Amino acid sequence: MAGLGLAAAVGFVLANSAAFAQLTPSPTIGAGTMNAALSAPGTIFDLGSKFLRDNANQANATVFGPAAGNPGGGGADLAVNGEQPAVRYRIWGEAYGTHARTSAQNAFTGDTRKTYGGILGLGATVAPGVSFGVSVDQGHSKIDIRDLPQSSRIDLTQIGANAIFESGPWTFTAAGIYGFGDIVMRRTDAGGEISADYDASLWGAIAETSYYWQSGNWRVVPRIGIDWTQIKVDAFTESGGATPVTATAQQTRRLRAFAGVEVGYSWLAGAYLHDVGVYARAIDILSQDVDSVLATPLDPTVRARLIPGIVDDRFEFNGGVSTGVKLTETSRLYLVYDTRLRDGFSAHAGTFGFEVRW
């Protein structure tokens, strides 16, 4: 009888232990686990948008570059000399640096992004008012996640092509880009450092129309346009630490419309042509599709989590100021400062560039 009583007691304990285990859920990974991964598409999108803008500006080949250094376009040579230079080919290069900050959103705690890179391009005028160009952008970004031991590095190569058609004061521009890059992400948990290395790619296109108005040495160039960008970040599996995960691929698509105006002034000082300009542009996101990321821990006792991607605020303001100097009939230098502002995001960029024609 005692043996039967002991067996019954053991059975009771085991049965209730199993029931208790069923009522106690497995732990879930933290909501901020993938913050560094979530930040990567936004960083790539910003780099792609900048390169699209650069290709649209550099497409203006029948005047002396993009408004002699102005980011919005226009023609300093036309403003001073009243005629276009008799050149057919040109090469340009730029070195740039960007500092950006993204605010918190859902479980995302925010980030700081630092980027530096360079652009090299070649353009050709094939007929009066018709020109084409190609360019390559190599950029390097460092992302630090706010309030969490997470970071990532992005090396991105972009290839662009542009085309322009001019008719009187009207200019029609189109450009497309393709990019590919490598992302190295690191974070730290109780088990040490966790890392992942994976790829990303992007496609983009832009089209715009502008009107050139001149009065003496002054110019005003209003413009409207539309751009589209698609980014794909590959799936990856982390290694190291106590809670590595496997994350699904993420795709982001954005379609935007913009309208803006540039105001510039050019003057001769001795043997040099100088130019200054300012621009402002308002941007509206017409559509935005941002995938969520499913993070599945390699530890089967920890549950997966579906983490929403970072969504940009609909409206954005761009502004900038530039100055340039024409050293000879076929060469110039220029400096540009740009800012991009929207709710939850700010970016400041500086560019130094040169152009040579023949």
Side-chain angles (χ1 to χ4, degrees):
M1 294 294 292
L4 291 176
L6 179 60
V10 171
F12 176 81
V13 170
L14 292 176
N16 282 273
S17 296
F20 179 75
Q22 292 177 355
L23 293 174
T24 304
S26 301
T28 306
I29 64 168
T33 300
M34 292 286 96
N35 278 4
L38 296 180
S39 181
T43 303
I44 297 172
F45 174 75
D46 292 334
L47 292 175
S49 296
K50 181 186 182 304
F51 192 49
L52 276 176
R53 181 79 259 147
D54 189 87
N55 270 269
N57 292 340
Q58 293 290 355
N60 196 350
T62 63
V63 296
F64 198 70
N70 294 321
D77 275 2
L78 295 178
V80 174
N81 300 331
E83 60 183 19
Q84 72 179 56
V87 294
R88 185 174 181 182
Y89 301 104
R90 67 192 187 97
I91 187 172
W92 71 89
E94 295 182 351
Y96 62 86
T98 302
H99 184 276
R101 293 176 62 89
T102 305
S103 300
Q105 182 180 135
N106 299 321
F108 181 72
T109 56
D111 65 26
T112 300
R113 309 169 184 173
K114 298 178 181 178
T115 299
Y116 65 91
I119 299 174
L120 186 65
L122 176 68
T125 299
V126 298
V130 180
S131 61
F132 299 92
V134 294
S135 59
V136 177
D137 180 345
Q138 182 65 52
H140 308 272
S141 298
K142 177 69 166 58
I143 305 170
D144 290 308
I145 300 301
R146 205 169 304 145
D147 301 328
L148 290 174
Q150 298 184 24
S151 65
S152 60
R153 189 202 74 234
I154 302 175
D155 293 321
L156 183 68
T157 301
Q158 300 181 82
I159 302 170
N162 55 47
I164 185 172
F165 173 73
E166 291 182 296
S167 178
W170 292 97
T171 300
F172 305 92
T173 301
I177 64 171
Y178 168 70
F180 54 93
D182 177 67
I183 303 173
V184 177
M185 185 184 70
R186 291 184 173 87
R187 61 187 181 91
T188 303
D189 66 5
E193 183 179 89
I194 303 175
S195 63
D197 190 338
Y198 52 105
D199 296 329
S201 58
L202 72 90
W203 296 262
I206 188 171
E208 68 176 34
T209 301
S210 64
Y211 183 89
Y212 183 87
W213 179 85
Q214 174 187 329
S215 178
N217 289 9
W218 289 92
R219 68 179 176 277
V220 178
V221 187
R223 64 184 62 244
I224 59 172
I226 192 168
D227 67 33
W228 168 84
T229 308
Q230 176 175 293
I231 298 164
K232 182 180 179 182
V233 175
D234 290 351
F236 62 87
T237 299
E238 296 179 319
S239 61
T243 57
V245 306
T246 293
T248 56
Q250 187 181 23
Q251 190 163 263
T252 300
R253 304 180 193 88
R254 293 183 178 93
L255 178 65
R256 312 188 305 175
F258 58 87
V261 63
E262 175 212 348
V263 178
Y265 182 80
S266 303
W267 73 98
L268 286 170
Y272 302 111
L273 170 66
H274 297 266
D275 184 89
V276 295
V278 296
Y279 86 97
R281 181 167 54 246
I283 298 175
D284 182 13
I285 295 179
L286 303 180
S287 66
Q288 182 175 196
D289 183 12
V290 182
D291 287 350
S292 298
V293 176
L294 178 63
T296 304
L298 301 185
D299 183 351
T301 65
V302 182
R303 293 191 299 171
R305 180 188 288 268
L306 185 65
I307 305 173
I310 301 173
V311 178
D312 289 341
D313 188 67
R314 177 177 174 181
F315 297 104
E316 180 177 314
F317 169 80
N318 294 175
V321 60
S322 65
T323 180
V325 57
K326 182 178 177 181
L327 303 176
T328 69
E329 285 298 316
T330 57
S331 64
R332 70 182 177 96
L333 301 175
Y334 55 92
L335 292 171
V336 182
Y337 163 76
D338 291 292
T339 185
R340 290 170 291 144
L341 305 170
R342 60 178 179 263
D343 187 23
F345 175 83
S346 64
H348 305 276
T351 301
F352 169 74
F354 73 89
E355 180 186 57
V356 177
R357 295 188 169 217
W358 70 95

